[in-house]
Amino acid sequence: MTARWYVRQVAAFGLPGHDHPIRGCGDGGVLRQPLDPATFGGLVALVRRLRLTGLLQAVVVADALPVTEDQRRRADDLHVSACITALLLERTLLNVVDALERAGVEVLVLKGSAAAHLLYADPTLRMFGDNDLLFRSEQFAEALELLARLGYRRAAVAPRRGFDRRFGKGATLTGASGDELDVHRTLLFGSFGLTIELDELFDSAVTFVVGGRQLRALGPDMGLLHACYHAALGDPEPRLGSLRDVAQRFALGSHDPGSVVQFARRWRAEPVVARAIDLCGQRLGVDIADPVATVLAGHRPSRREQRAIDSYVGANRSHAAKVLASLPYLDGVIDKAAFLGANLVPAAGFIRSRGGRPGPAWLRRGVRSLRHGGAR
Amino acid sequence: MSTWRRDERALWRRSFDRIVILAAERPEPLLLEGTGRVIWDLLEEPRECAELIMMLAEAFRRDAAEVDLETTPFLMELRAAGALAVT
C-alpha cells in the first residue's frame, strides 16, 4: 500500500499541478528524508513493473524525492536497463518499418516509441516494452506475410479465414530474438474496436524522428482517443503508465477538443473517454480540465455500454463475453452472423491456440464462461 | 576545420548523469558518463573541433592544449563506435 502511494505520485510527476516534491503517506507533508529500504524497494519494484523508470529518474533529478546514494544508483541502474530495452526495440522498429514501407505497406507506430518522442521533450521519460504497429485492413494479411518472412511468428491464429480483415483487432507476434510485436488492424478487439472508422486513423497521421528516420504515428486527436481506449479498457486494473499517457496528451493540448468529441460520438466511444478521464482522477490523482472532459466526463453508460465495458474490465472478461457484448456494435444481420459464427465455430487451429479442444467442448466452454465469468 | 556532431543514426536516452547509446549496427550499447556525457551534451548541435575543445576546457577549467591532447583520441573512439560523426 505504501509503495503504491508513492508510485502514483511518480506516475503523475511533471503534469500541471504535479511538479511538487513527493508527499509522505503519513501526514501528507513533503518528504524530508529518504524512504526506508523496504518502502524504496517496493517503489522500485512497482516502477520497474509499470515501466515508470523515466519518471522516477525525473523525480530524483528534480530533488523532489530525497534519496541516499545507494537509492540513486539503484534508480539509475534500473533506468539504464529500461533505456537499453527501449533502444533495442527502436532499432527493431526501424528495421521492421523499413522492410514494410519498401514493400509498399503503410504503417503507423502506436504507443511506445511514438508516445516517447511525440509526448515528451525528452523521450527518456516514457519507457516501453514492445512495439505496436497499425495497418490498414486491406494490407493486414500482406503485412503479416512480410513479417513472417522477417521471422515473426503468430501464436494465436484467426478464428476463420477473413476474420482478421473484417473484424480482428490484430495479432501478437514474436520475433526470432524473442521481441514482441503487436500488429493492429483496429485499436482493440470487440465492441469498441468495431465502431472505429479505421481510415480516419490514417488520415491525420503525424511524423516523428528516430535515428534520423521519419516514422508515422496517430495524429493528436486519434492519439488521444487511442490513449483513452487503452487506459479505460486495456487492463482490468488500469495501468498508471496508460493513465499518464491520457493525462499527458490532455496537458499537451495538441488535440482539437471539438474534433475529439465528434469522433468519440461517431465511434460510440463516449463511455470509453469518460471512463479514462474518471480513472485519471481516481487512480492517478489528476483531474482533467479540458473541454473534452466538460462534455464527456459526465457520460453515464447505458446498460449496453456497461456490458461492453465489463467485457473488457469486469468480472467476466471471457472471449465469449466479449463476443456477445460486441453484437450490438455490428451493423446488419450479415456481419452479426459472420462474427458470431466465426467465434462459435472457429477453425480448429484457433481453438487449440487458446488452449481448447475443437468440437462441442468449445461451445460448452463458452457457455460455462458466460455463466461463471473468468479472464479472457 | 573538422565539425563534430552526433551520428543521427545513433539511438540514445539519458539516465541521470549517463547517456545510453545504441549506435547503428552495433550489437552492444555504449554508456557515456563524465567527460563523455559532457561531450554528448555539447554536441546537441554540431561544433567545430576547436570550439568543442574550448568549451570543454572552460567546463573543466583546464588548459585547452591539454584538453585537445586527451579529447581528440576520445572523439575518434566515439566516431569508431558509431556515436559521433565528423565532416
Side-chain angles (χ1 to χ4, degrees):
Chain A
M1 181 64 80
T2 311
R4 288 191 183 281
W5 166 269
Y6 293 111
V7 79
R8 190 170 115 146
Q9 294 183 73
V10 168
F13 187 74
L15 289 166
H18 290 264
D19 49 8
H20 51 71
I22 300 295
R23 299 193 184 285
C25 70
D27 58 4
V30 168
L31 278 179
R32 303 280 179 209
Q33 299 294 330
L35 296 173
D36 63 81
T39 305
F40 188 79
L43 172 62
V44 158
L46 273 176
V47 159
R48 180 195 306 184
R49 185 164 64 79
L50 300 175
R51 302 196 190 278
L52 298 174
T53 62
L55 289 169
L56 178 62
Q57 182 217 201
V59 165
V60 172
V61 165
D63 289 328
L65 175 69
V67 290
T68 64
E69 269 308 305
D70 182 61
Q71 288 174 343
R72 185 187 172 95
R73 214 167 13 250
R74 275 183 77 185
D76 188 4
D77 288 345
L78 193 66
H79 189 51
V80 164
S81 179
C83 287
I84 292 171
T85 297
L87 295 177
L88 288 169
L89 284 168
E90 283 192 333
R91 168 182 284 172
T92 299
L93 179 68
L94 288 175
N95 290 338
V96 166
V97 170
D98 186 52
L100 288 163
E101 289 185 341
R102 275 191 280 111
V105 176
E106 193 175 356
V107 56
L108 299 187
V109 180
L110 300 177
K111 300 187 290 173
S113 181
H117 289 276
L118 288 169
L119 305 187
Y120 296 90
D122 184 353
T124 206
L125 293 173
R126 174 51 163 91
M127 291 287 107
F128 48 98
D130 62 7
N131 285 317
D132 287 73
L133 301 178
L134 177 72
F135 302 107
R136 291 188 185 271
S137 295
E138 58 269 28
Q139 291 192 308
F140 191 76
E142 184 184 354
L144 283 185
E145 279 169 28
L146 198 145
L147 290 167
R149 289 202 292 276
L150 292 176
Y152 283 93
R153 295 289 166 254
R154 180 178 185 174
V157 301
R160 274 203 202 156
R161 239 178 117 107
F163 187 91
D164 277 343
R165 192 184 192 288
R166 206 167 164 187
F167 305 117
K169 168 204 168 183
T172 297
L173 310 179
T174 307
S177 56
D179 60 295
E180 190 173 285
L181 179 63
D182 286 333
V183 293
H184 299 253
R185 184 195 75 95
T186 184
L187 301 182
L188 70 175
F189 176 76
S191 318
F192 295 111
L194 292 166
T195 50
I196 296 172
E197 290 165 29
L198 301 178
D199 284 340
E200 285 176 340
L201 294 172
F202 286 82
D203 286 348
S204 60
V206 296
T207 57
F208 64 104
V209 176
V210 175
R213 287 273 324 279
Q214 273 201 350
L215 300 174
R216 298 174 73 219
L218 296 174
D221 298 345
M222 298 295 142
L224 175 54
L225 285 164
H226 180 214
C228 289
Y229 275 75
H230 191 62
L233 305 175
D235 296 274
E237 187 54 39
R239 291 177 71 96
L240 290 175
S242 305
L243 295 173
R244 173 59 190 245
D245 279 349
V246 173
Q248 185 72 15
R249 285 187 176 272
F250 273 116
L252 271 179
S254 306
H255 60 285
D256 176 341
S259 177
V260 170
V261 169
Q262 196 176 36
F263 280 117
R265 286 187 171 141
R266 287 222 312 262
W267 296 357
R268 297 159 75 178
E270 298 111 305
V272 180
V273 177
R275 177 175 159 83
I277 291 170
D278 187 49
L279 286 171
C280 281
Q282 273 183 39
R283 305 298 183 97
L284 193 58
V286 174
D287 292 323
I288 306 295
D290 185 274
V292 173
T294 306
V295 174
L296 293 182
H299 180 90
R300 295 283 169 264
S302 65
R303 273 176 57 182
R304 172 185 297 178
E305 288 171 344
Q306 191 60 57
R307 195 160 54 237
I309 291 172
D310 288 345
S311 73
Y312 293 99
V313 298
N316 189 350
R317 304 186 299 281
S318 65
H319 186 73
K322 286 188 179 62
V323 168
L324 276 187
S326 297
L327 293 179
Y329 289 81
L330 286 157
D331 290 329
V333 172
I334 294 177
D335 270 0
K336 290 184 204 291
F339 184 80
L340 196 55
N343 284 286
L344 281 178
V345 194
F350 171 80
I351 296 173
R352 285 192 201 99
S353 69
R354 295 184 75 92
R357 280 183 304 147
W362 173 254
L363 274 175
R364 284 199 294 272
R365 177 172 143 165
V367 170
R368 263 201 311 275
S369 68
L370 281 175
R371 280 190 189 148
H372 302 300
R376 55 187 142 193
Chain B
M1 180 65 67
S2 53
T3 299
W4 288 90
R5 57 178 170 80
R6 295 174 185 171
D7 190 320
E8 66 170 11
R9 297 168 304 163
L11 308 173
W12 68 279
R13 293 291 194 278
R14 185 182 304 277
S15 178
F16 290 84
D17 296 328
R18 297 192 279 180
I19 305 291
V20 186
I21 301 172
L22 188 64
E25 292 162 33
R26 298 296 200 283
E28 298 293 327
L30 187 62
L31 271 182
L32 294 183
E33 50 194 326
T35 307
R37 198 260 306 158
V38 173
I39 290 172
W40 186 262
D41 285 344
L42 290 175
L43 289 176
E44 189 175 2
E45 45 188 88
R47 298 196 189 276
E48 287 185 359
C49 193
E51 181 192 10
L52 183 61
I53 299 299
M54 287 305 299
M55 293 176 87
L56 283 169
E58 201 176 306
F60 292 107
R61 297 188 187 180
R62 293 184 56 199
D63 178 71
E66 281 180 17
V67 169
D68 189 8
L69 270 177
E70 292 170 10
T71 302
T72 301
F74 186 50
L75 292 175
M76 300 304 289
E77 272 183 49
L78 291 178
R79 181 191 180 193
L84 300 183
V86 64
T87 49

